[in-house]
Amino acid sequence: MILNFKYLSLILCFIIGMNKGFSQFNFTNEIGAVVGPVAFHSDFGERKDSETNMGNTGFGIGILHYMNFTYLRTYSYGWFPNFFNQHFKVRNELSYNKTNLNNFGKWVDPSRTGENAERLRQHSGSSQNFNIGSQLEYYPLSIRAFEAMDFPLAPYIGLGIQYTFYTTTVETGYGNGNINDSDNFYQPWVNATNPNFNEDSFLFDGNSSTFTLIGSIGTRYKLTKLSDLVFDMKFEYFFDDFVDGLNHNLPSNKTNDWLVWFNVGYIHYLDNN
């Protein structure tokens, strides 16, 4: 993970430098932090199972930077530039989340006494994700009016992309406990592997990276002229199916890994030219 931290540091320094340059053009800078639970949807457990959705939950934390364009209004001409300045912000984010993963659902119900059910019960893992990226947020109400405290709430929706450095772990307590021994895992996964377990494994234990599509819906609540609370629900869709360390070839594996992050945070306005 040392290499990943180096990449994150370089990208973060680039973003900070870029926004310092933008500040010369009267961009308003905002910084903040968010925390909250993460619901990880992956190949662990049964699809659309409430126990799986509640069980495979983790925790996330993020550092935010916003580019606020409202004070560019005197430098803009025409309807669209002014509309953009009053209704859009760019959100840059550096975040981390971790989820411990287990198999839930009917296939591991105590009534099932077969060896495959026991293999599933003994199989676990974890996923750690470092994310960096940006999204464009749209505010239906005037950002300037919200900053002037004309109303307390400013709802928004957002869409963007980020790059994710992920670390997965694979564990099993079945048999000899060796994750390289296919007999220790759910045999339908093994039988569906082509051409064999060693050459085309459905497991991944290690570090990698991928792009992630992100979407948000939330609202800000005005605390003071220079500070807001933010309540946010973010969807993250990974362009990779090994983020959870599992990518079996059964027909039930229909989508890549994704998660939902419910978070609350604090935003502070650095300048207000």
Side-chain angles (χ1 to χ4, degrees), residues 115-190:
E115 291 303 305
N116 273 326
E118 188 60 25
R119 288 183 174 97
L120 287 176
R121 294 188 192 101
Q122 295 295 324
H123 173 206
S124 62
S126 68
S127 178
Q128 298 184 69
N129 304 302
F130 290 91
N131 314 291
I132 188 164
S134 299
Q135 70 177 29
L136 185 66
E137 292 184 350
Y138 168 67
Y139 294 76
L141 303 177
S142 167
I143 294 174
R144 183 56 192 259
F146 173 69
E147 292 173 354
M149 305 184 74
D150 289 353
F151 39 82
L153 295 175
Y156 64 86
I157 57 174
L159 184 67
I161 195 165
Q162 63 187 15
Y163 200 71
T164 299
F165 301 90
Y166 65 86
T167 299
T168 66
T169 61
V170 178
E171 298 180 359
T172 180
Y174 185 87
N176 58 21
N178 185 351
I179 65 171
N180 296 311
D181 185 346
S182 63
D183 187 58
N184 294 331
F185 294 93
Y186 187 60
Q187 291 304 287
W189 295 341
V190 177

Side-chain angles (χ1 to χ4, degrees), residues 6-73:
K6 288 182 179 179
Y7 281 129
L8 288 171
S9 299
L10 288 173
I11 298 173
L12 183 60
C13 288
F14 173 78
I15 291 176
I16 292 174
M18 179 180 66
N19 288 299
K20 283 185 177 179
F22 282 149
S23 66
Q24 300 177 31
F25 300 97
N26 289 344
F27 283 84
T28 300
N29 296 284
E30 307 168 16
I31 60 170
V34 291
V35 296
V38 170
F40 202 107
H41 296 260
S42 71
D43 298 319
F44 275 82
E46 186 181 355
R47 186 180 300 276
K48 298 181 180 179
D49 176 71
S50 59
E51 188 178 3
T52 298
N53 295 337
M54 295 298 295
N56 286 330
T57 58
F59 187 78
I61 184 170
I63 300 173
L64 310 180
H65 171 268
Y66 288 87
M67 298 167 60
N68 185 331
F69 303 94
T70 56
Y71 292 93
L72 285 176
R73 65 194 188 284

Side-chain angles (χ1 to χ4, degrees), residues 207-259:
N207 305 322
S208 190
S209 60
T210 186
F211 282 100
T212 308
L213 182 67
I214 56 176
S216 294
I217 182 169
T219 188
R220 289 195 183 201
Y221 174 77
K222 178 58 69 176
L223 288 176
T224 69
K225 188 173 179 61
L226 294 179
S227 63
D228 303 336
L229 287 180
V230 59
F231 303 90
D232 184 85
M233 180 172 67
K234 185 166 71 171
F235 303 86
E236 301 184 15
Y237 178 83
F238 303 100
F239 291 96
D240 194 329
D241 203 14
F242 270 121
V243 179
D244 63 342
L246 176 62
N247 182 16
H248 63 76
N249 293 324
L250 294 180
S252 58
N253 183 5
K254 298 180 179 180
T255 64
N256 290 345
D257 301 324
W258 58 284
L259 62 81

